[in-house]
Amino acid sequence: GPHLLVVGNEKGGAGKSTLAVHLAFALMKMGLTVGVLDLDVRQRSTDRYLDNRARWADRCGEPLPMPQRFTLSASSARNLDTADAEEAEAWQGFRDSVKGLDIVVIDTPGGVTHLSNLAHGSADTVVTPINDSFVDFDLLGTINPATMKVERPSLYGEMIWDARKRRAARDKKPIDWVVVRNRMSMLDARNKRRVGEGLKELSQRIGFRIAPGVCERVIYRELFPRGLTLLDMGQFPDDTPASMSHVAARQELRDLLIVLKLPALAG
Amino acid sequence: GPHLLVVGNEKGGAGKSTLAVHLAFALMKMGLTVGVLDLDVRQRSTDRYLDNRARWADRCGEPLPMPQRFTLSASSARNLDTADAEEAEAWQGFRDSVKGLDIVVIDTPGGVTHLSNLAHGSADTVVTPINDSFVDFDLLGTINPATMKVERPSLYGEMIWDARKRRAARDKKPIDWVVVRNRMSMLDARNKRRVGEGLKELSQRIGFRIAPGVCERVIYRELFPRGLTLLDMGQFPDDTPASMSHVAARQELRDLLIVLKLPALAG
Ligand SMILES: Nc1ncnc2c1ncn2[C@@H]1O[C@H](COP(=O)(O)OP(=O)(O)OP(=O)(O)O)[C@@H](O)[C@H]1O
Ligand SMILES: Nc1ncnc2c1ncn2[C@@H]1O[C@H](COP(=O)(O)OP(=O)(O)OP(=O)(O)O)[C@@H](O)[C@H]1O
Ligand SMILES: [Mg+2]
Ligand SMILES: [Mg+2]
């Protein structure tokens, strides 16, 4: 079946939806056949991004490249065991239905949901964006405030660690877990260094790889109402600050994709 | 009873916990007796901020001003109707227990939870931070991509609107709803203007007030491991960029508090 790439972080606003959308279009630009599933069934930022794109394409009378879209509903059962069973069945139905695609990018919600857990359990790659912040870091690992060293993994860090252990125990191909710093500023030298050191230490303890970070750039969010991304923009012949930022953004996405080492890109 | 200030936005990472903590300490600095309740029962960023502070105070052997802390558990019942009933009872217990405080600041999780809904329903003031982004805006209202005008309120915008209608229908004091732009950058002129115009239009349609925004500043997040805030920092005699940012940050919080028009501050 296709490679399942889950974009996950139970911390809100880490950049999951932003990364899911931009990875999907970057992968399409590199020639892969891409599916997208938005498991944030309430807020649906990724679905809305793609809906906006379809509407904008209609409005302009110009087709725009679109990934193949999948959707799953959450159960509305008032008993959680019933709901979990319904969702497990829907999840299996989704897995049986994805054929002929190189990769499916799965956006997940902040917080913890059963559907998100099912997706994490089946992922080939989990990409976890985090803000350059110990508030976000706190979901991955706890920091000793005197030494700024990592004390232990915490909530989301443990969740992934357990999912990987269970997979390894079933002799399945291990989950590749990659953490990406997002919304990085050009300033904040001391905080950036400390978060970087904490990530490096935690990566060795709980086994994730660290990908090149993504900077805070208005181009990553400005085009949401039209469903466009910087990958739709023409090549800029000039060297205005805006186009320099777009060129840098393309490079960021390309560097990130290289580090993800996705099988379909290896050929 | 005390003024209930709920910091709410179902959009993740809008800055709820950051604002909840900084508002609490700013209000204490202005002489109010302040309580804090963290309703993000899983991630508990606000509880962890305050736990870090208590540990740091111990470590330094120096007491630090602390708000009065409250806590509520989510129900673990597998039947949602049972869970809702248990939480409604716990919520009432909390309301009966808060005495002798000017104000309680209530942090809520991203997403939708029953406890968060109960808090929104009882709020005197709801403060909603949002990122300067149409991705965040999308939870308040939908934008027409051609005109960039507001089409209609959406998920969270409707949720608050309904809560306010129900309160008004019971002849109760209306909820004061205030939206605060957060993590504002000094750049992004066009996007900033568009989001600003969208907010202004939506505020007239669904009835929130817009408070002065809060900028992206590393000082708002850098001190989390020690549970400190810029309000604990001494006055800086120098004019380095860092201390200029701290001075500006204090002013931002003060300007925001003035606009909140909290009764206890009116005296
Ligand atoms: N690299 C970036 N540069 C600029 N803005 C960004 C970047 N990444 C994310 N954002 C903005 O930050 C906010 C949070 O991002 P996003 O919605 O993608 O996070 P999320 O993890 O999907 O959040 P949620 O937990 O609510 O699903 C949005 O307003 C988004 O537009
Ligand atoms: N004004 C600011 N300046 C700098 N960093 C900020 C600011 N506001 C928030 N942040 C950072 O942005 C991230 C999101 O903020 P925060 O955790 O307070 O949001 P939240 O709405 O409580 O998120 P959640 O939905 O997960 O509860 C954190 O890493 C925080 O440190
Ligand atoms: Mg999202
Ligand atoms: Mg929070």
Side-chain angles (χ1 to χ4, degrees), chain A residues 8 124-128 140 156-158 160-161 164 175-179 206-210:
Chain A
D124 297 305
T125 301
V126 174
V127 177
T128 294
L140 296 180
Y156 185 75
E158 288 177 328
I160 306 278
W161 198 10
R164 294 173 104 201
I175 299 174
D176 181 26
W177 185 22
V178 181
V179 172
I206 62 177
F208 53 80
R209 307 192 289 118
I210 300 174

Side-chain angles (χ1 to χ4, degrees), chain B residues 22-40:
Chain B
H22 286 83
L23 282 178
F25 287 117
L27 290 164
M28 284 166 63
K29 204 143 200 172
M30 298 178 80
L32 272 64
T33 53
V34 177
V36 173
L37 170 66
D38 189 347
L39 285 187
D40 188 340

Side-chain angles (χ1 to χ4, degrees), chain A residues 16-17 40 43 45 107-109, chain B residues 11:
Chain A
K16 299 177 286 295
S17 305
D40 189 338
Q43 296 184 14
S45 303
D107 189 18
T108 59
Chain B
K11 181 69 182 86

Side-chain angles (χ1 to χ4, degrees), chain A residues 11-12 135, chain B residues 13-18 38 40 43-46 107-110:
Chain A
K11 179 70 181 85
V135 174
Chain B
K16 300 178 284 297
S17 304
T18 298
D38 189 347
D40 188 340
Q43 297 184 13
R44 303 182 52 230
S45 304
T46 292
D107 189 18
T108 58

Side-chain angles (χ1 to χ4, degrees), chain A residues 98-167:
Chain A
V98 280
K99 302 190 192 321
L101 291 169
D102 292 320
I103 185 165
V104 182
V105 176
I106 302 172
D107 189 18
T108 59
V112 174
T113 68
H114 181 245
L115 278 172
S116 176
N117 285 341
L118 290 169
H120 278 80
S122 317
D124 297 305
T125 301
V126 174
V127 177
T128 294
I130 78 163
N131 280 290
D132 230 9
S133 167
F134 282 116
V135 174
D136 278 44
F137 193 100
D138 201 48
L139 275 296
L140 296 180
T142 332
I143 291 286
N144 178 314
T147 61
M148 291 297 178
K149 295 244 163 286
V150 174
E151 283 184 328
R152 71 190 79 89
S154 67
L155 290 182
Y156 185 75
E158 288 177 328
M159 193 273 255
I160 306 278
W161 198 10
D162 291 344
R164 294 173 104 201
K165 282 202 320 213
R166 285 197 302 272
R167 277 276 283 270

Side-chain angles (χ1 to χ4, degrees), chain B:
Chain B
H3 194 92
L4 295 185
L5 190 160
V6 168
V7 185
N9 191 339
E10 61 174 286
K11 181 69 182 86
K16 300 178 284 297
S17 304
T18 298
L19 210 55
V21 166
H22 286 83
L23 282 178
F25 287 117
L27 290 164
M28 284 166 63
K29 204 143 200 172
M30 298 178 80
L32 272 64
T33 53
V34 177
V36 173
L37 170 66
D38 189 347
L39 285 187
D40 188 340
V41 296
R42 176 167 166 98
Q43 297 184 13
R44 303 182 52 230
S45 304
T46 292
D47 274 343
R48 308 261 281 207
Y49 210 124
L50 297 174
D51 290 346
N52 292 348
R53 186 178 182 84
R55 262 212 315 259
W56 188 249
D58 282 350
R59 185 169 247 140
C60 300
E62 286 275 338
L64 284 165
M66 290 289 279
Q68 184 175 340
R69 301 182 58 180
F70 298 89
T71 189
L72 277 185
S73 312
S75 164
S76 53
R78 295 298 284 169
N79 178 298
L80 293 174
D81 298 318
T82 310
D84 287 0
E86 287 182 14
E87 289 172 358
E89 193 170 338
W91 178 250
Q92 192 52 46
F94 160 73
R95 297 200 65 184
D96 297 338
S97 75
V98 281
K99 303 190 192 319
L101 291 170
D102 293 318
I103 186 164
V104 180
V105 177
I106 302 171
D107 189 18
T108 58
V112 175
T113 68
H114 181 245
L115 279 173
S116 177
N117 284 342
L118 290 170
H120 279 79
S122 317
D124 296 306
T125 301
V126 174
V127 177
T128 294
I130 78 162
N131 279 291
D132 231 8
S133 167
F134 283 114
V135 175
D136 279 44
F137 193 99
D138 200 48
L139 274 295
L140 296 180
T142 332
I143 290 286
N144 179 313
T147 61
M148 292 295 177
K149 296 242 161 290
V150 174
E151 283 185 327
R152 71 189 78 88
S154 68
L155 290 182
Y156 185 75
E158 288 176 328
M159 193 272 255
I160 306 277
W161 199 9
D162 291 343
R164 293 174 105 202
K165 281 203 317 213
R166 285 196 304 272
R167 277 274 285 269
R170 304 202 306 265
D171 279 332
K172 294 206 165 205
K173 189 156 142 296
I175 299 174
D176 182 26
W177 185 21
V178 181
V179 172
V180 184
R181 293 164 82 173
N182 185 34
R183 303 193 71 177
M184 296 183 76
S185 124
M186 312 294 175
L187 323 158
D188 311 350
R190 177 181 53 200
N191 184 61
K192 196 188 269 192
R193 178 176 46 79
R194 284 171 163 171
V195 172
E197 287 168 2
L199 276 179
K200 199 152 161 287
E201 191 186 342
L202 191 65
S203 81
Q204 286 152 7
R205 284 177 60 163
I206 62 177
F208 54 79
R209 306 191 290 115
I210 300 173
V214 173
C215 288
E216 172 79 17
R217 301 180 189 283
V218 71
I219 190 66
Y220 283 125
R221 60 174 189 257
E222 196 176 12
L223 306 175
F224 169 81
R226 301 179 176 183
L228 300 172
T229 71
L230 66 112
L231 298 157
D232 300 306
M233 310 278 100
Q235 304 302 331
F236 289 89
D238 56 73
D239 54 13
T240 60
S243 55
M244 295 303 285
S245 183
H246 295 186
V247 167
R250 283 177 204 270
Q251 196 58 50
E252 272 175 354
L253 292 176
R254 221 173 297 153
D255 292 344
L256 168 53
L257 279 175
I258 289 170
V259 167
L260 291 186
K261 297 202 183 73
L262 300 167
L265 288 179

